[in-house]
Amino acid sequence: MQAEQQPEHTSVAVVGAGPAGLLLARLLHRAGIDTVVLESRDRAYVERRQRAGILEQATVDALRAAGAGARMDREGIPHDGIELRFDRRAHRVDFPSLTGGRRVMVYAQTEVVKDLVALQLADGGPLLFEAEVRGVTGADTGRPVVHYRHEGRDRTLTCDYVVGCDGFHGVVKNAVPERVRRTYERVYPYSWLGILAEAPPVYDELIYAHSERGFALASMRSPQVGRLYLQVPNGTDPADWPDERIWDELDARFALDAEPGWKLARGPVTAKSVLPMRSHVTEPLRYGHVLLAGDAAHIVPPTGAKGLNLAAADVIVLARALTARYRDGATALLDAYSETCLRRVWRAEHFSYFMTTTLHTDPEQRPFDTRLQLAQLERVANSPHAAAELAENYTGLPIPD
């Protein structure tokens, strides 16, 4: 159960109870390191946020090692590949044969969060919901202070380290002075219209479609629930897309010459939203005793399925570094945290950029640009080296040990 007494000091204060913060807290708990998690939203909100649904092999392995993999292994859907559709043709990329056996798992972020919340409340350190962090002071000292409001009162929490897992709009990164902070960003000229539908997927693996009408993606949340996306202009209002129009457009973008009768199974649309597309990196990931992880440090467009997985990689590296610090007094891994993670972050940023710009149609796109996209997709379909490059990045590059 959640601790009744307000904590005043801890070894590591984790701000944000998304998958990054919760996984870090779980890993630190198993290493015997005191941790407090502060989350501004209530539990119900945290557990219903719709986000990513594709877990890399390393993320799956980390959840299992943390004791959070039992329900994932029962209910998750292993995938051994993806299908690319372009020029009204289909090509499958087989992951295990190209990566030495690695695959991905379809298991929604909402479910990952539910599993980790349950574990944290059962036997982890304090997890305080509706605890709004207002700021962090003393980042460059050995005893930073987290200022937050909980149960109608302003409170403080001192700690050895503060980890910001509070997302793109979080406050922890503001503890890094502007003179030190560097940001890099690209905003894409299109968005995704995403739906959840009570419609059994008629496909076994994810389908990524390039078409002259724009990009489309067929994913799933379970054998009974489909998760589907359409490329739409920025500023699109979901209300302008009634259900029938969405289904008709999806069928048009997934059309194949070899299977003229291929159609999606239709069903009630239970959720509909528009997702803007951006790439963003904040450097460094460490300043003094403040560290950043997950969306607080970097955002990727969802085309490459990297967001949650990059967050997991960050906290796996960070948990190892903090464990070495508290177990042996060794700080080399902690000192290298930012540089270590940023190498992998930029590789994932590039892969997400590649997938996004290769599969989407830019509003200013010319026929020449379309032919370049098709040439790249043909190369993936016909070159084992190009296919392996895609498969290795999609299933996840190794996490530095």
Side-chain angles (χ1 to χ4, degrees):
M1 298 294 293
Q2 183 170 311
E4 294 182 0
Q5 187 174 4
Q6 289 289 326
E8 296 180 353
H9 180 81
T10 188
S11 298
V12 180
V14 177
V15 181
L22 291 167
L23 179 57
L24 176 61
R26 183 65 184 169
L27 294 172
L28 295 180
H29 170 72
R30 290 171 74 88
I33 300 170
D34 292 336
T35 306
V36 174
V37 181
L38 304 173
E39 167 57 47
S40 63
R41 303 283 192 165
D42 62 33
R43 180 177 180 179
Y45 180 91
V46 168
E47 292 187 338
R48 68 172 181 262
R49 281 186 288 208
Q50 290 294 333
R51 293 291 189 273
I54 306 296
L55 307 183
E56 294 176 358
Q57 184 71 63
T59 304
V60 170
D61 294 343
L63 289 169
R64 288 172 178 157
R71 192 163 70 94
M72 174 187 69
D73 285 330
R74 289 196 310 270
E75 301 177 13
I77 308 171
H79 277 196
D80 286 335
I82 58 173
E83 183 177 294
L84 298 175
R85 293 193 178 186
F86 59 96
D87 202 22
R88 299 178 65 90
R89 292 177 287 132
H91 174 77
R92 182 175 182 270
V93 179
D94 183 83
F95 293 156
S97 66
L98 295 164
T99 64
R102 295 206 308 276
R103 61 203 320 207
V104 297
M105 177 82 78
V106 174
Y107 189 63
Q109 176 174 315
T110 50
E111 307 310 310
V112 173
V113 168
K114 289 175 187 174
D115 296 341
L116 290 169
V117 165
L119 286 169
Q120 185 73 10
L121 293 177
D123 63 9
L127 167 54
L128 305 182
F129 291 106
E130 299 181 84
E132 182 187 0
V133 172
R134 302 291 183 84
V136 175
T137 57
D140 54 353
T141 73
R143 198 176 179 86
V145 181
V146 180
H147 303 264
Y148 68 102
R149 187 168 182 82
H150 186 241
E151 296 179 339
R153 292 181 56 191
D154 292 330
R155 304 177 186 273
T156 59
L157 176 67
T158 62
C159 53
D160 301 332
Y161 297 95
V162 181
V163 183
C165 300
D166 49 345
F168 180 73
H169 297 290
V171 301
V172 174
K173 65 184 174 186
N174 294 332
V176 182
E178 289 188 11
R179 61 181 171 78
V180 175
R181 210 185 322 154
R182 302 181 300 276
T183 59
Y184 306 87
E185 185 171 67
R186 178 189 179 96
V187 178
Y188 295 86
Y190 34 72
S191 300
W192 277 10
L193 171 65
I195 65 167
L196 277 173
E198 294 178 359
V202 296
Y203 39 90
D204 296 324
E205 296 170 336
L206 274 65
I207 304 174
Y208 288 77
H210 172 285
S211 84
E212 60 185 14
R213 304 173 69 98
F215 170 77
L217 170 61
S219 182
M220 63 190 71
R221 283 293 178 264
S222 74
Q224 294 78 39
V225 177
R227 181 70 164 154
L228 302 111
Y229 301 92
L230 285 170
Q231 175 188 340
V232 293
N234 286 342
T236 291
D237 184 346
D240 293 335
W241 283 80
D243 296 358
E244 197 71 14
R245 181 187 178 191
I246 293 173
W247 290 116
D248 288 346
E249 188 63 25
L250 285 164
D251 282 339
R253 296 189 191 186
F254 288 122
L256 296 171
D257 286 340
E259 299 181 49
W262 194 95
K263 298 286 185 182
L264 293 162
R266 301 190 177 193
V269 174
T270 58
K272 189 185 304 183
S273 61
V274 170
L275 174 67
M277 309 276 282
R278 65 152 38 99
S279 301
H280 181 97
V281 179
T282 294
E283 298 183 3
L285 274 58
R286 180 188 178 187
Y287 174 75
H289 285 238
V290 169
L291 304 110
L292 305 177
D295 287 359
H298 41 73
I299 299 287
V300 290
T303 326
K306 296 294 110 183
L308 182 155
N309 296 293
L310 269 184
D314 287 348
V315 299
I316 291 168
V317 172
L318 184 53
R320 291 171 180 165
L322 288 168
T323 299
R325 154 70 176 81
Y326 283 99
R327 182 187 59 203
D328 305 320
T331 61
L333 293 179
L334 202 53
D335 293 340
Y337 167 69
S338 182
E339 181 182 354
T340 300
C341 287
L342 283 172
R343 284 196 295 268
R344 198 174 188 277
V345 164
W346 280 110
R347 179 60 251 166
E349 289 282 356
H350 183 269
F351 176 67
S352 300
Y353 167 84
F354 162 78
M355 291 287 286
T356 301
T357 57
T358 300
L359 290 165
H360 289 72
T361 302
D362 191 291
E364 305 297 324
Q365 188 154 311
R366 301 175 180 179
F368 181 85
D369 303 317
T370 302
R371 294 295 297 168
L372 289 178
Q373 291 176 319
L374 294 173
Q376 180 60 56
L377 291 165
E378 288 281 4
R379 174 167 166 74
V380 173
N382 295 300
S383 166
H385 300 292
E389 175 78 4
L390 189 154
E392 288 170 357
N393 280 276
Y394 197 97
T395 57
L397 299 175
I399 297 175
D401 189 350

